[in-house]
Amino acid sequence: MLPTREEAMALIQDGLSNNPGPWGKHSLTAAHCAEKIAAACGDMDAEKAYVLGLLHDIGRKFGVRHLGHVSDGYRFMMSLGYDEAAKICLTHSFNNHTVDEYIGKLDVSEEEMKMIKAELARTVYDDYDRLIQLCDSLAGAEGVLDIEDRMNDVKKRYGFYPQDKWDSNMRLKQYFEKKMKKDIYLVCEKDSFVPEEIG
């Protein structure tokens, strides 16, 4: 189950009132990219893609956490009955189905880590999981970024970027470009899209 676009936006506004930060505009950019790519694919639901893109980081509502935002988002969406959004909160950080390639602090309790690993192990990825993983790598708070620039920025901030994750992001880009038969940056309006202020 999924909230509507309006309900998802209300959740983001509420989240930002609890924990203001650039994650709001990053989420808007990810949603924009997801909607555009899904529409260009022809066999995906653009509205669903937008909502999933918007809510992938909703766990940030609960404060500044690294891996913690994954379990926070998953639990929050499940508590509201939005299982499809909960799945994306979980899968968007793990391109290759493993917690080992997480970039950032493993700031979770033993119980949270157990839950993440258990849910991840039984989750089958579909094109929506892959799409939001890709859009997460394209989305900056200021707009659509070159995927390699974004990964290099993360590498600079954290001191490393797992090669497997880097390679899988490049594969996702190629996969969706082949599916759309179009350049991803043109579809996502890289040169013109700027996320609005979330009021």
Side-chain angles (χ1 to χ4, degrees):
M1 218 173 94
L2 271 180
T4 63
R5 182 186 287 241
E6 292 70 31
E7 288 166 342
M9 190 57 80
L11 286 167
I12 290 290
Q13 287 167 338
D14 175 60
L16 285 166
S17 69
N18 289 333
N19 179 29
W23 69 272
K25 283 187 167 184
H26 159 74
S27 299
L28 272 185
T29 305
H32 164 81
C33 292
E35 181 178 37
K36 294 289 182 190
I37 294 168
C41 283
D43 63 347
M44 295 182 80
D45 181 337
E47 192 69 11
K48 174 178 174 174
Y50 183 89
V51 169
L52 292 174
L54 197 58
L55 292 175
H56 77 281
D57 266 351
I58 192 64
R60 299 203 182 280
K61 155 191 171 82
F62 298 99
V64 180
R65 295 183 80 192
H66 288 247
L67 184 56
H69 89 280
V70 172
S71 50
D72 284 342
Y74 179 81
R75 285 194 166 132
F76 180 46
M77 290 292 97
M78 286 303 273
S79 76
L80 298 177
Y82 299 138
D83 56 332
E84 290 177 270
K87 185 185 181 211
I88 293 295
C89 288
L90 182 73
T91 61
H92 80 271
S93 291
F94 312 112
N95 293 33
N96 298 304
H97 246 105
T98 173
V99 178
D100 298 343
E101 66 179 20
Y102 187 77
I103 303 163
K105 293 185 189 122
L106 303 181
D107 55 354
V108 289
S109 67
E110 209 174 304
E111 182 210 346
E112 286 173 318
M113 182 61 96
K114 230 185 249 176
M115 185 275 289
I116 290 170
K117 285 183 170 175
E119 290 304 319
L120 205 53
R122 67 188 194 87
T123 299
V124 177
Y125 287 6
D126 61 21
D127 271 3
Y128 291 97
D129 298 288
R130 295 181 194 103
L131 176 63
I132 306 307
Q133 288 166 358
L134 174 64
C135 294
D136 195 21
S137 327
L138 289 167
E142 62 284 5
V144 184
L145 302 175
D146 179 286
I147 196 165
E148 293 194 62
D149 289 348
R150 168 121 166 111
M151 291 191 292
N152 274 317
D153 175 57
V154 172
K155 191 174 184 173
K156 205 163 65 194
R157 280 187 290 139
Y158 291 99
F160 79 106
Y161 200 102
Q163 192 61 45
D164 284 353
K165 193 176 172 91
W166 184 293
D167 294 344
S168 75
N169 278 330
M170 299 313 290
R171 274 198 305 276
L172 287 171
K173 178 178 178 283
Q174 288 158 4
Y175 172 75
F176 281 102
E177 285 186 328
K178 195 174 171 186
K179 207 170 165 174
M180 298 185 295
K181 299 184 177 62
K182 289 177 181 156
D183 178 278
I184 210 140
Y185 300 121
L186 289 176
V187 171
C188 293
E189 302 165 345
K190 180 177 178 288
D191 295 333
S192 58
F193 176 77
V194 178
E196 293 170 20
E197 288 296 335
I198 300 173

